[in-house]
Amino acid sequence: MKNYKLIILLLLVIAVACQKEEEPNDMPYDPAKDKIIMPKKEIRAAWVSTVYNLDWPATKNNPDAQKSELLHILDHCRNLNFNAVILQIRPMADAFYPSALEPWSQYLTGAQGNDPGYDPLQFAIEEAHKRGMEFHAWLNPYRIGPTSVTLAPTQVALLNPSWVVTFNDARYFNPGIPEVVEHLKKVVKDILTRYEVDAIHFDDYFYPSGAKSTSNPFGFNDKSAWESNGGGKDIHTWRADNVSKMVGEVSQLIRSTKPGVLFGISPSGRRENSLDLYADPFIWLDNKWVDYLAPQIYWEFGHATADFGTLANFWNNNARGVPMVIGIASYKFKDPTYPAFGATSQFDRQINLVRESPNLSGCFFFREKFLENTELYTFMKNKYPDKSVLPVMGAATQSTPAKPVVTLNGTTLSWATVTNASKYALYWLERDPVNNREYHARCQLVTTDLKATAVAGKSYFVTAVNADNAESLPSEVVAAK
């Protein structure tokens, strides 16, 4: 009899234990007991190259076709849950917009200076913003292009030949001439005052590769400018100072002209390579001249001299308080020249490391066209299943918004306007499979709307996000039934 009662007691204990294990899965979110795990905010973008028509436009002299191509690119990025796009608008001292300072780009019509019949920059900005993506205007500061290119009569390089250095069959503006920097600043200011860009973005080309030489220091023939403006510095110090001075002055111009517009630069993934172009990212970081740095780590894990993990950790450890975005080589996928990139597992490891590193704020992919590969696209869709609020970059221009007040009517979630909010992020809660008292917040929507549709059985909350991407505390959680 005692054994029988003992068995009954044990069965009751087991039943209660099982009930306690299963019970949380049947219970709604409890703010007094449960914890919400917010996702790491990350910027996700693709570089869209216009130089040599690499990504866009594929057609010339056809505004409708060019618009259609660009809409496809932007839709593709949106479908991957990207939240920014980096479009090259000044590839070779030219313009993808009407400009009194520089001629129309040849990549729009086939001939530099010819009007394409519309404003590609304005169109691109409007369409990117419609899709909830930031627009980063990508400029090359010094490149004019191959000597084989016929320059427009209005090209500033023709009007000011003393500004130009020819090196390895290509023309470059001489970074050591003050008027060159002043012209670049006018170009940047023109863009800032006429267009609603979210960032000015420079790539990794400064002095051309090969200009830094001990055996032939004036192969890049800037000796006259150095003698006039060098101030007693050796040629290599002077050139490096020229780049630093330009970056500092452009940074100050952006902040004084349009606070809130970011300034980002994308140097080589190896600092040593960048120094070979007389560009030192550490100076930009120490002086807080850039709002983000995007080193191009276009190598794989295990590379003999440029291991991805080593370089990602290097930039994470040397961020100096500036957000780091890692450039990733989508162009190498399935290219037999790069066997390490023969499978998506390489990108999986790279993105994972970026997400695990506290000072790395996301990934830029070079280039957009390669993300159209079906296998890589499918992988990316699975890797980025949710939306993401952009990380805060740059100086604050306004206070953080208060948390929204959310109501649920049937399956319609709605919330009132919040002061300083420029958009709102909608999250749903997914219970952790191991810890039943933890919920992972999954961003479903980043929107300017004040309502959204809920799905029965899911719990939601909303945050308000200001123009700096500072995010409010979560609203109260509501459960759709």
Side-chain angles (χ1 to χ4, degrees), residues 251-270:
S251 175
Q252 177 57 37
L253 170 73
I254 295 170
R255 290 170 184 177
S256 62
T257 303
K258 209 165 190 177
V261 172
L262 303 177
F263 183 31
I265 301 181
S266 182
S268 171
R270 296 180 75 242

Side-chain angles (χ1 to χ4, degrees), residues 143-148 164-172 208 220:
R143 183 174 58 200
I144 303 168
T147 53
S148 58
V164 179
V165 175
T166 300
F167 180 74
N168 289 345
D169 299 321
R171 303 182 186 98
Y172 300 89
F220 184 86

Side-chain angles (χ1 to χ4, degrees), residues 140-376:
N140 183 277
Y142 299 128
R143 183 174 58 200
I144 303 168
T147 53
S148 58
V149 172
T150 301
L151 302 179
T154 58
Q155 170 59 255
V156 67
L158 284 183
L159 300 177
N160 299 276
S162 64
W163 295 6
V164 179
V165 175
T166 300
F167 180 74
N168 289 345
D169 299 321
R171 303 182 186 98
Y172 300 89
F173 286 121
N174 185 344
I177 295 179
E179 290 81 4
V180 165
V181 178
E182 290 305 309
H183 174 72
L184 175 62
K185 287 161 61 179
K186 287 179 182 177
V187 169
V188 171
K189 187 170 184 176
D190 183 47
I191 295 167
L192 292 173
T193 53
R194 293 170 54 208
Y195 296 96
E196 292 300 317
V197 299
D198 299 292
I200 297 294
H201 180 95
F202 285 175
D203 56 25
D204 57 331
Y205 293 104
F206 294 94
Y207 278 86
S209 178
K212 192 172 188 177
S213 169
T214 53
S215 60
N216 186 21
F218 295 108
F220 184 86
N221 190 8
D222 56 354
K223 187 173 183 180
S224 176
W226 171 61
E227 290 173 342
S228 300
N229 304 313
K233 300 174 184 176
D234 70 83
I235 184 62
H236 302 299
T237 300
W238 177 70
R239 287 174 178 167
D241 287 350
N242 290 336
V243 174
S244 296
K245 183 173 183 292
M246 179 274 289
V247 170
E249 290 185 10
V250 170
S251 175
Q252 177 57 37
L253 170 73
I254 295 170
R255 290 170 184 177
S256 62
T257 303
K258 209 165 190 177
V261 172
L262 303 177
F263 183 31
I265 301 181
S266 182
S268 171
R270 296 180 75 242
R271 183 181 176 222
E272 298 88 338
N273 293 2
S274 192
L275 293 175
D276 284 342
L277 306 180
Y278 296 102
D280 188 352
F282 278 14
I283 293 177
W284 314 335
L285 296 172
D286 288 337
N287 287 282
K288 301 298 185 286
W289 288 337
V290 291
D291 298 304
Y292 68 82
L293 196 76
Q296 301 169 26
I297 309 182
Y298 291 166
W299 302 279
E300 68 274 13
F301 283 96
H303 190 282
T305 57
D307 172 71
F308 182 91
T310 301
L311 291 172
N313 289 330
F314 172 84
W315 291 111
N316 178 70
N317 296 335
N318 288 282
R320 290 159 154 79
V322 176
M324 290 283 162
V325 186
I326 300 303
I328 290 181
S330 54
Y331 73 93
K332 290 186 174 180
F333 183 60
K334 294 292 189 183
D335 185 330
T337 310
Y338 309 105
F341 290 87
T344 57
S345 56
Q346 182 66 224
F347 298 108
D348 190 54
R349 289 184 66 194
Q350 294 185 1
I351 295 169
N352 286 346
L353 179 56
V354 171
R355 284 178 164 168
E356 293 162 4
S357 305
N359 298 321
L360 305 184
S361 299
C363 299
F364 291 164
F365 295 87
F366 188 80
R367 307 181 336 257
E368 186 280 331
K369 181 173 287 187
F370 295 91
L371 298 176
E372 308 244 359
N373 174 282
T374 301
E375 184 180 352
L376 187 54

Side-chain angles (χ1 to χ4, degrees), residues 59-75:
T59 55
K60 297 184 176 70
N61 289 310
N62 190 330
D64 289 340
Q66 291 180 358
K67 289 179 180 180
S68 179
E69 291 170 18
L70 187 57
L71 291 180
H72 168 78
I73 289 171
L74 296 175
D75 284 341

